[in-house]
Amino acid sequence: MRKSSRKKASASRPSGAGRKIVPLATMEKQAMANRWQVTNDDKIKEARLLGIGKTTLYRKLKEYGW
């Protein structure tokens, strides 16, 4: 017989009740805003820190109205 590879949830782990799910777009905006402050508007540096290409950064900036 095969044993299930799933582990039962521990009693100490929260079940998710009361946790707020943050949309990915919101997290992305926050990350971009934080990087903008750190990089002093250096787009190349900002893209590198975010792990995205320069073209993607410019597209996201346009998408978010920056």
Side-chain angles (χ1 to χ4, degrees):
M1 245 194 268
R2 293 180 98 182
K3 291 185 179 181
S4 175
S5 61
R6 289 181 151 178
K7 293 183 179 180
K8 291 184 180 178
S10 149
S12 64
R13 291 174 73 189
S15 65
R19 283 198 213 174
K20 182 179 176 186
I21 297 174
V22 180
L24 185 57
T26 301
M27 292 175 58
E28 191 172 62
K29 285 179 192 178
Q30 290 172 349
M32 290 177 73
N34 292 339
R35 296 296 183 198
W36 177 76
Q37 293 171 351
V38 172
T39 61
N40 295 319
D41 209 28
D42 181 342
K43 301 292 191 254
I44 303 297
K45 195 174 187 181
E46 187 174 346
R48 284 185 189 143
L49 289 170
L50 290 168
I52 60 176
K54 183 178 68 169
T55 304
T56 302
L57 175 65
Y58 281 105
R59 183 175 47 80
K60 293 290 183 182
L61 290 171
K62 183 178 179 180
E63 181 180 328
Y64 297 139
W66 284 329

